[in-house]
Every structure is written in C-alpha cells, then in structure tokens.
Amino acid sequence: GNVLVSISSNTIKNGNYETSEALLINLKQEFPQYIGVIEDNRRILSLNKILALSNSSDYEKALSYAKSIFEDYQNDRDYLNYLKNCYLKYAVYLFENRDIENLIFYNEEALKYFPKDSTITNNYKAFFQNIIYEHINSGSYSEARKIVDISLDRFPNESFFKKSDAILKEKKY
C-alpha cells in the first residue's frame, strides 16, 4: 500500500507516468494478491496523466492516451468525463487554429463515443456556424458553400444552415 502511494505521489510531482506505469505492471506480476489496489492506483495515475497532458495544452496527446485506455475504463464515469473533456478542449483548439478537416474528424469521432451528448453536438454546430458566418462576411462564398454542405449533411434540420444555404444559392454558390 505505501509503495503505491509513494509511486503516485512521485509521479504527480515529477510527471514521469511511463516509469510509474511500468512499476505498476511489475507490481501486478509480483503481487497478484493486491491486483485490486494496484488497479485502483493505475486508474488514478491514468486520470492524472490525462489531466496533466490536457492542462499543459497537449490536447492531441491527452486525447490519444485517453482513447488508448478506453477498453479498460469504458464504464468508469470519471474516465468518460475526462475523455469527453479531451475531445471538447481539442475541438476548441482545432477551431481556434482553423484546422477544419481535423475539427470535423474529431467531432465526428467524439460523437461515436458520446452519440447523444448535447455539449459536443452544440459545440460542433457552433463551430460550423462561426466558420460559415466568417466566410460569408468575408466574401469567401465557395469556402462557405463547402462548410454549409457538410453541416447540412450532419444537421439537416438546423435553421442556421438552411438560411446560409439559401443565402449562398441567392449568390449563385
């Protein structure tokens, strides 16, 4: 027990998650009778790693790591919240950097994990709305058309996208 607390404390202080993960694997092999306690510590370590990566703005790495342990924690409420937050933070980062292709890809992927999540869905719509608005206002109608078509495919009943479609058709785009 004390060894596990020491590993977790040192890892949080120095950020060396890989070494700690390796130690926990070794402990599981050497002390199978403590597997429950070791797994609890592995879970805490994993959540802390996701949080540390995300807080350091390394969203892609945080998301990649969170997805890599999905099988182990897919029924864990805390883990699912961390995974969702990784998707949300990474999507905002991609939007701010106008990486539209990856923005679409990762929002679609997030909706596969969280198909009924209103936050992910509403953010996704808002990203499209802002991008369309910017393109129309700057006169980049062909770029706006691309995003309107994608957004209408994804959200066919959304009035903003229908109105944008009508505006572009009026302008022959």
PDB file of all heavy atoms in Angstrom, residues 17 40-53 65 69 73 76-83:
ATOM      1  N   TYR A  17       5.080   9.476 -15.943  1.00  0.00           N
ATOM      2  CA  TYR A  17       4.000   8.491 -15.916  1.00  0.00           C
ATOM      3  C   TYR A  17       4.425   7.142 -16.480  1.00  0.00           C
ATOM      4  O   TYR A  17       3.974   6.102 -16.012  1.00  0.00           O
ATOM      5  CB  TYR A  17       2.780   9.031 -16.671  1.00  0.00           C
ATOM      6  CG  TYR A  17       2.126  10.162 -15.921  1.00  0.00           C
ATOM      7  CD1 TYR A  17       2.468  11.482 -16.176  1.00  0.00           C
ATOM      8  CD2 TYR A  17       1.189   9.906 -14.933  1.00  0.00           C
ATOM      9  CE1 TYR A  17       1.882  12.514 -15.470  1.00  0.00           C
ATOM     10  CE2 TYR A  17       0.593  10.933 -14.222  1.00  0.00           C
ATOM     11  CZ  TYR A  17       0.942  12.233 -14.491  1.00  0.00           C
ATOM     12  OH  TYR A  17       0.371  13.250 -13.784  1.00  0.00           O
ATOM     13  N   ASP A  40      -6.593   0.123  -8.843  1.00  0.00           N
ATOM     14  CA  ASP A  40      -7.138   1.415  -8.380  1.00  0.00           C
ATOM     15  C   ASP A  40      -6.101   2.518  -8.554  1.00  0.00           C
ATOM     16  O   ASP A  40      -6.414   3.623  -8.994  1.00  0.00           O
ATOM     17  CB  ASP A  40      -7.568   1.347  -6.906  1.00  0.00           C
ATOM     18  CG  ASP A  40      -8.846   0.537  -6.705  1.00  0.00           C
ATOM     19  OD1 ASP A  40      -9.553   0.264  -7.699  1.00  0.00           O
ATOM     20  OD2 ASP A  40      -9.126   0.178  -5.542  1.00  0.00           O
ATOM     21  N   ASN A  41      -4.851   2.199  -8.214  1.00  0.00           N
ATOM     22  CA  ASN A  41      -3.785   3.185  -8.363  1.00  0.00           C
ATOM     23  C   ASN A  41      -3.468   3.447  -9.827  1.00  0.00           C
ATOM     24  O   ASN A  41      -3.163   4.580 -10.202  1.00  0.00           O
ATOM     25  CB  ASN A  41      -2.532   2.726  -7.613  1.00  0.00           C
ATOM     26  CG  ASN A  41      -2.613   3.082  -6.155  1.00  0.00           C
ATOM     27  OD1 ASN A  41      -2.200   4.151  -5.748  1.00  0.00           O
ATOM     28  ND2 ASN A  41      -3.204   2.196  -5.360  1.00  0.00           N
ATOM     29  N   ARG A  42      -3.551   2.413 -10.653  1.00  0.00           N
ATOM     30  CA  ARG A  42      -3.340   2.596 -12.093  1.00  0.00           C
ATOM     31  C   ARG A  42      -4.400   3.527 -12.669  1.00  0.00           C
ATOM     32  O   ARG A  42      -4.109   4.392 -13.493  1.00  0.00           O
ATOM     33  CB  ARG A  42      -3.369   1.239 -12.799  1.00  0.00           C
ATOM     34  CG  ARG A  42      -3.126   1.341 -14.280  1.00  0.00           C
ATOM     35  CD  ARG A  42      -3.033  -0.041 -14.928  1.00  0.00           C
ATOM     36  NE  ARG A  42      -3.226   0.116 -16.357  1.00  0.00           N
ATOM     37  CZ  ARG A  42      -4.344  -0.186 -16.999  1.00  0.00           C
ATOM     38  NH1 ARG A  42      -5.380  -0.691 -16.367  1.00  0.00           N
ATOM     39  NH2 ARG A  42      -4.431   0.015 -18.299  1.00  0.00           N
ATOM     40  N   ARG A  43      -5.640   3.356 -12.227  1.00  0.00           N
ATOM     41  CA  ARG A  43      -6.743   4.214 -12.678  1.00  0.00           C
ATOM     42  C   ARG A  43      -6.474   5.675 -12.304  1.00  0.00           C
ATOM     43  O   ARG A  43      -6.576   6.570 -13.141  1.00  0.00           O
ATOM     44  CB  ARG A  43      -8.055   3.744 -12.052  1.00  0.00           C
ATOM     45  CG  ARG A  43      -9.228   4.619 -12.386  1.00  0.00           C
ATOM     46  CD  ARG A  43     -10.470   4.186 -11.568  1.00  0.00           C
ATOM     47  NE  ARG A  43     -11.504   5.183 -11.662  1.00  0.00           N
ATOM     48  CZ  ARG A  43     -11.588   6.258 -10.881  1.00  0.00           C
ATOM     49  NH1 ARG A  43     -10.708   6.477  -9.937  1.00  0.00           N
ATOM     50  NH2 ARG A  43     -12.566   7.117 -11.055  1.00  0.00           N
ATOM     51  N   ILE A  44      -6.090   5.889 -11.059  1.00  0.00           N
ATOM     52  CA  ILE A  44      -5.806   7.256 -10.586  1.00  0.00           C
ATOM     53  C   ILE A  44      -4.646   7.852 -11.381  1.00  0.00           C
ATOM     54  O   ILE A  44      -4.695   9.008 -11.810  1.00  0.00           O
ATOM     55  CB  ILE A  44      -5.514   7.253  -9.071  1.00  0.00           C
ATOM     56  CG1 ILE A  44      -6.802   6.908  -8.302  1.00  0.00           C
ATOM     57  CG2 ILE A  44      -4.944   8.590  -8.615  1.00  0.00           C
ATOM     58  CD1 ILE A  44      -6.580   6.548  -6.846  1.00  0.00           C
ATOM     59  N   LEU A  45      -3.623   7.056 -11.585  1.00  0.00           N
ATOM     60  CA  LEU A  45      -2.463   7.503 -12.354  1.00  0.00           C
ATOM     61  C   LEU A  45      -2.868   7.856 -13.786  1.00  0.00           C
ATOM     62  O   LEU A  45      -2.453   8.886 -14.322  1.00  0.00           O
ATOM     63  CB  LEU A  45      -1.414   6.393 -12.366  1.00  0.00           C
ATOM     64  CG  LEU A  45       0.003   6.763 -12.719  1.00  0.00           C
ATOM     65  CD1 LEU A  45       0.574   7.699 -11.665  1.00  0.00           C
ATOM     66  CD2 LEU A  45       0.850   5.503 -12.799  1.00  0.00           C
ATOM     67  N   SER A  46      -3.713   7.025 -14.392  1.00  0.00           N
ATOM     68  CA  SER A  46      -4.169   7.267 -15.762  1.00  0.00           C
ATOM     69  C   SER A  46      -4.974   8.562 -15.859  1.00  0.00           C
ATOM     70  O   SER A  46      -4.774   9.364 -16.779  1.00  0.00           O
ATOM     71  CB  SER A  46      -5.018   6.091 -16.255  1.00  0.00           C
ATOM     72  OG  SER A  46      -4.254   4.925 -16.331  1.00  0.00           O
ATOM     73  N   LEU A  47      -5.874   8.771 -14.923  1.00  0.00           N
ATOM     74  CA  LEU A  47      -6.672  10.006 -14.927  1.00  0.00           C
ATOM     75  C   LEU A  47      -5.778  11.231 -14.732  1.00  0.00           C
ATOM     76  O   LEU A  47      -5.958  12.254 -15.397  1.00  0.00           O
ATOM     77  CB  LEU A  47      -7.763   9.947 -13.856  1.00  0.00           C
ATOM     78  CG  LEU A  47      -8.857   8.898 -14.071  1.00  0.00           C
ATOM     79  CD1 LEU A  47      -9.812   8.878 -12.875  1.00  0.00           C
ATOM     80  CD2 LEU A  47      -9.615   9.123 -15.359  1.00  0.00           C
ATOM     81  N   ASN A  48      -4.804  11.103 -13.839  1.00  0.00           N
ATOM     82  CA  ASN A  48      -3.880  12.214 -13.621  1.00  0.00           C
ATOM     83  C   ASN A  48      -3.039  12.510 -14.856  1.00  0.00           C
ATOM     84  O   ASN A  48      -2.733  13.663 -15.151  1.00  0.00           O
ATOM     85  CB  ASN A  48      -2.972  11.943 -12.417  1.00  0.00           C
ATOM     86  CG  ASN A  48      -3.662  12.231 -11.112  1.00  0.00           C
ATOM     87  OD1 ASN A  48      -4.440  13.176 -11.006  1.00  0.00           O
ATOM     88  ND2 ASN A  48      -3.400  11.419 -10.109  1.00  0.00           N
ATOM     89  N   LYS A  49      -2.671  11.465 -15.589  1.00  0.00           N
ATOM     90  CA  LYS A  49      -1.887  11.657 -16.807  1.00  0.00           C
ATOM     91  C   LYS A  49      -2.714  12.411 -17.856  1.00  0.00           C
ATOM     92  O   LYS A  49      -2.222  13.348 -18.491  1.00  0.00           O
ATOM     93  CB  LYS A  49      -1.422  10.312 -17.367  1.00  0.00           C
ATOM     94  CG  LYS A  49      -0.580  10.434 -18.624  1.00  0.00           C
ATOM     95  CD  LYS A  49      -0.062   9.081 -19.088  1.00  0.00           C
ATOM     96  CE  LYS A  49       0.771   9.214 -20.349  1.00  0.00           C
ATOM     97  NZ  LYS A  49       1.315   7.907 -20.758  1.00  0.00           N
ATOM     98  N   ILE A  50      -3.970  12.008 -18.024  1.00  0.00           N
ATOM     99  CA  ILE A  50      -4.853  12.706 -18.970  1.00  0.00           C
ATOM    100  C   ILE A  50      -4.981  14.169 -18.570  1.00  0.00           C
ATOM    101  O   ILE A  50      -4.858  15.066 -19.404  1.00  0.00           O
ATOM    102  CB  ILE A  50      -6.245  12.040 -19.022  1.00  0.00           C
ATOM    103  CG1 ILE A  50      -6.153  10.634 -19.596  1.00  0.00           C
ATOM    104  CG2 ILE A  50      -7.214  12.892 -19.846  1.00  0.00           C
ATOM    105  CD1 ILE A  50      -7.415   9.785 -19.404  1.00  0.00           C
ATOM    106  N   LEU A  51      -5.204  14.404 -17.300  1.00  0.00           N
ATOM    107  CA  LEU A  51      -5.377  15.767 -16.798  1.00  0.00           C
ATOM    108  C   LEU A  51      -4.104  16.599 -16.993  1.00  0.00           C
ATOM    109  O   LEU A  51      -4.166  17.741 -17.449  1.00  0.00           O
ATOM    110  CB  LEU A  51      -5.771  15.722 -15.321  1.00  0.00           C
ATOM    111  CG  LEU A  51      -6.179  17.029 -14.679  1.00  0.00           C
ATOM    112  CD1 LEU A  51      -7.414  17.605 -15.361  1.00  0.00           C
ATOM    113  CD2 LEU A  51      -6.452  16.813 -13.195  1.00  0.00           C
ATOM    114  N   ALA A  52      -2.958  16.014 -16.672  1.00  0.00           N
ATOM    115  CA  ALA A  52      -1.685  16.735 -16.825  1.00  0.00           C
ATOM    116  C   ALA A  52      -1.427  17.107 -18.282  1.00  0.00           C
ATOM    117  O   ALA A  52      -1.032  18.243 -18.586  1.00  0.00           O
ATOM    118  CB  ALA A  52      -0.532  15.896 -16.267  1.00  0.00           C
ATOM    119  N   LEU A  53      -1.644  16.166 -19.190  1.00  0.00           N
ATOM    120  CA  LEU A  53      -1.442  16.456 -20.615  1.00  0.00           C
ATOM    121  C   LEU A  53      -2.408  17.531 -21.102  1.00  0.00           C
ATOM    122  O   LEU A  53      -2.027  18.454 -21.823  1.00  0.00           O
ATOM    123  CB  LEU A  53      -1.616  15.183 -21.450  1.00  0.00           C
ATOM    124  CG  LEU A  53      -0.510  14.139 -21.328  1.00  0.00           C
ATOM    125  CD1 LEU A  53      -0.946  12.816 -21.934  1.00  0.00           C
ATOM    126  CD2 LEU A  53       0.774  14.646 -21.977  1.00  0.00           C
ATOM    127  N   TYR A  65      -3.953   9.313 -25.568  1.00  0.00           N
ATOM    128  CA  TYR A  65      -3.770   8.448 -24.403  1.00  0.00           C
ATOM    129  C   TYR A  65      -5.126   8.012 -23.844  1.00  0.00           C
ATOM    130  O   TYR A  65      -5.339   6.834 -23.543  1.00  0.00           O
ATOM    131  CB  TYR A  65      -2.946   9.146 -23.316  1.00  0.00           C
ATOM    132  CG  TYR A  65      -2.816   8.280 -22.087  1.00  0.00           C
ATOM    133  CD1 TYR A  65      -2.011   7.140 -22.110  1.00  0.00           C
ATOM    134  CD2 TYR A  65      -3.530   8.562 -20.934  1.00  0.00           C
ATOM    135  CE1 TYR A  65      -1.910   6.315 -20.999  1.00  0.00           C
ATOM    136  CE2 TYR A  65      -3.441   7.735 -19.820  1.00  0.00           C
ATOM    137  CZ  TYR A  65      -2.629   6.621 -19.855  1.00  0.00           C
ATOM    138  OH  TYR A  65      -2.553   5.800 -18.757  1.00  0.00           O
ATOM    139  N   ILE A  69      -6.757   3.834 -23.530  1.00  0.00           N
ATOM    140  CA  ILE A  69      -7.158   3.074 -22.335  1.00  0.00           C
ATOM    141  C   ILE A  69      -8.672   2.917 -22.238  1.00  0.00           C
ATOM    142  O   ILE A  69      -9.199   2.498 -21.213  1.00  0.00           O
ATOM    143  CB  ILE A  69      -6.590   3.715 -21.043  1.00  0.00           C
ATOM    144  CG1 ILE A  69      -7.104   5.138 -20.847  1.00  0.00           C
ATOM    145  CG2 ILE A  69      -5.060   3.667 -21.053  1.00  0.00           C
ATOM    146  CD1 ILE A  69      -6.731   5.761 -19.519  1.00  0.00           C
ATOM    147  N   TYR A  73     -11.480   1.322 -19.172  1.00  0.00           N
ATOM    148  CA  TYR A  73     -12.274   2.220 -18.320  1.00  0.00           C
ATOM    149  C   TYR A  73     -13.581   2.686 -18.950  1.00  0.00           C
ATOM    150  O   TYR A  73     -14.169   3.666 -18.505  1.00  0.00           O
ATOM    151  CB  TYR A  73     -11.428   3.448 -17.944  1.00  0.00           C
ATOM    152  CG  TYR A  73     -10.176   3.075 -17.190  1.00  0.00           C
ATOM    153  CD1 TYR A  73      -8.928   3.194 -17.787  1.00  0.00           C
ATOM    154  CD2 TYR A  73     -10.253   2.572 -15.904  1.00  0.00           C
ATOM    155  CE1 TYR A  73      -7.772   2.833 -17.104  1.00  0.00           C
ATOM    156  CE2 TYR A  73      -9.104   2.214 -15.207  1.00  0.00           C
ATOM    157  CZ  TYR A  73      -7.877   2.345 -15.812  1.00  0.00           C
ATOM    158  OH  TYR A  73      -6.742   1.981 -15.129  1.00  0.00           O
ATOM    159  N   ASP A  76     -16.292   3.614 -16.573  1.00  0.00           N
ATOM    160  CA  ASP A  76     -15.893   4.469 -15.457  1.00  0.00           C
ATOM    161  C   ASP A  76     -16.338   5.905 -15.738  1.00  0.00           C
ATOM    162  O   ASP A  76     -15.876   6.533 -16.689  1.00  0.00           O
ATOM    163  CB  ASP A  76     -14.366   4.394 -15.307  1.00  0.00           C
ATOM    164  CG  ASP A  76     -13.842   5.198 -14.137  1.00  0.00           C
ATOM    165  OD1 ASP A  76     -14.073   6.428 -14.104  1.00  0.00           O
ATOM    166  OD2 ASP A  76     -13.177   4.599 -13.279  1.00  0.00           O
ATOM    167  N   ARG A  77     -17.211   6.406 -14.916  1.00  0.00           N
ATOM    168  CA  ARG A  77     -17.799   7.736 -15.118  1.00  0.00           C
ATOM    169  C   ARG A  77     -16.740   8.851 -15.154  1.00  0.00           C
ATOM    170  O   ARG A  77     -16.793   9.747 -15.992  1.00  0.00           O
ATOM    171  CB  ARG A  77     -18.820   7.986 -14.010  1.00  0.00           C
ATOM    172  CG  ARG A  77     -19.599   9.241 -14.151  1.00  0.00           C
ATOM    173  CD  ARG A  77     -20.508   9.402 -12.915  1.00  0.00           C
ATOM    174  NE  ARG A  77     -21.511  10.390 -13.152  1.00  0.00           N
ATOM    175  CZ  ARG A  77     -22.790  10.118 -13.292  1.00  0.00           C
ATOM    176  NH1 ARG A  77     -23.223   8.893 -13.198  1.00  0.00           N
ATOM    177  NH2 ARG A  77     -23.639  11.083 -13.502  1.00  0.00           N
ATOM    178  N   ASP A  78     -15.769   8.786 -14.233  1.00  0.00           N
ATOM    179  CA  ASP A  78     -14.717   9.813 -14.210  1.00  0.00           C
ATOM    180  C   ASP A  78     -13.896   9.783 -15.495  1.00  0.00           C
ATOM    181  O   ASP A  78     -13.629  10.819 -16.098  1.00  0.00           O
ATOM    182  CB  ASP A  78     -13.784   9.609 -13.008  1.00  0.00           C
ATOM    183  CG  ASP A  78     -14.478   9.866 -11.688  1.00  0.00           C
ATOM    184  OD1 ASP A  78     -15.401  10.707 -11.643  1.00  0.00           O
ATOM    185  OD2 ASP A  78     -14.095   9.218 -10.689  1.00  0.00           O
ATOM    186  N   TYR A  79     -13.508   8.575 -15.903  1.00  0.00           N
ATOM    187  CA  TYR A  79     -12.734   8.436 -17.133  1.00  0.00           C
ATOM    188  C   TYR A  79     -13.517   9.003 -18.324  1.00  0.00           C
ATOM    189  O   TYR A  79     -12.965   9.739 -19.147  1.00  0.00           O
ATOM    190  CB  TYR A  79     -12.362   6.971 -17.396  1.00  0.00           C
ATOM    191  CG  TYR A  79     -11.963   6.739 -18.823  1.00  0.00           C
ATOM    192  CD1 TYR A  79     -10.713   7.148 -19.289  1.00  0.00           C
ATOM    193  CD2 TYR A  79     -12.848   6.188 -19.745  1.00  0.00           C
ATOM    194  CE1 TYR A  79     -10.359   6.987 -20.613  1.00  0.00           C
ATOM    195  CE2 TYR A  79     -12.500   6.024 -21.069  1.00  0.00           C
ATOM    196  CZ  TYR A  79     -11.260   6.423 -21.494  1.00  0.00           C
ATOM    197  OH  TYR A  79     -10.915   6.290 -22.811  1.00  0.00           O
ATOM    198  N   LEU A  80     -14.794   8.651 -18.434  1.00  0.00           N
ATOM    199  CA  LEU A  80     -15.602   9.129 -19.564  1.00  0.00           C
ATOM    200  C   LEU A  80     -15.691  10.656 -19.565  1.00  0.00           C
ATOM    201  O   LEU A  80     -15.653  11.276 -20.633  1.00  0.00           O
ATOM    202  CB  LEU A  80     -16.994   8.498 -19.535  1.00  0.00           C
ATOM    203  CG  LEU A  80     -17.008   6.992 -19.837  1.00  0.00           C
ATOM    204  CD1 LEU A  80     -18.391   6.407 -19.586  1.00  0.00           C
ATOM    205  CD2 LEU A  80     -16.537   6.705 -21.254  1.00  0.00           C
ATOM    206  N   ASN A  81     -15.767  11.270 -18.390  1.00  0.00           N
ATOM    207  CA  ASN A  81     -15.755  12.740 -18.324  1.00  0.00           C
ATOM    208  C   ASN A  81     -14.419  13.304 -18.809  1.00  0.00           C
ATOM    209  O   ASN A  81     -14.380  14.310 -19.513  1.00  0.00           O
ATOM    210  CB  ASN A  81     -16.047  13.216 -16.905  1.00  0.00           C
ATOM    211  CG  ASN A  81     -17.516  13.140 -16.566  1.00  0.00           C
ATOM    212  OD1 ASN A  81     -18.375  13.288 -17.428  1.00  0.00           O
ATOM    213  ND2 ASN A  81     -17.818  12.885 -15.300  1.00  0.00           N
ATOM    214  N   TYR A  82     -13.323  12.651 -18.444  1.00  0.00           N
ATOM    215  CA  TYR A  82     -12.009  13.102 -18.897  1.00  0.00           C
ATOM    216  C   TYR A  82     -11.889  12.953 -20.413  1.00  0.00           C
ATOM    217  O   TYR A  82     -11.372  13.844 -21.093  1.00  0.00           O
ATOM    218  CB  TYR A  82     -10.897  12.304 -18.203  1.00  0.00           C
ATOM    219  CG  TYR A  82     -10.549  12.777 -16.821  1.00  0.00           C
ATOM    220  CD1 TYR A  82     -11.515  12.965 -15.837  1.00  0.00           C
ATOM    221  CD2 TYR A  82      -9.234  13.020 -16.457  1.00  0.00           C
ATOM    222  CE1 TYR A  82     -11.191  13.388 -14.566  1.00  0.00           C
ATOM    223  CE2 TYR A  82      -8.885  13.441 -15.179  1.00  0.00           C
ATOM    224  CZ  TYR A  82      -9.868  13.627 -14.241  1.00  0.00           C
ATOM    225  OH  TYR A  82      -9.536  14.055 -12.986  1.00  0.00           O
ATOM    226  N   LEU A  83     -12.361  11.821 -20.942  1.00  0.00           N
ATOM    227  CA  LEU A  83     -12.308  11.601 -22.392  1.00  0.00           C
ATOM    228  C   LEU A  83     -13.132  12.667 -23.112  1.00  0.00           C
ATOM    229  O   LEU A  83     -12.667  13.271 -24.089  1.00  0.00           O
ATOM    230  CB  LEU A  83     -12.827  10.201 -22.739  1.00  0.00           C
ATOM    231  CG  LEU A  83     -12.893   9.848 -24.222  1.00  0.00           C
ATOM    232  CD1 LEU A  83     -11.502   9.878 -24.858  1.00  0.00           C
ATOM    233  CD2 LEU A  83     -13.539   8.474 -24.414  1.00  0.00           C
TER     234      LEU A  83
END
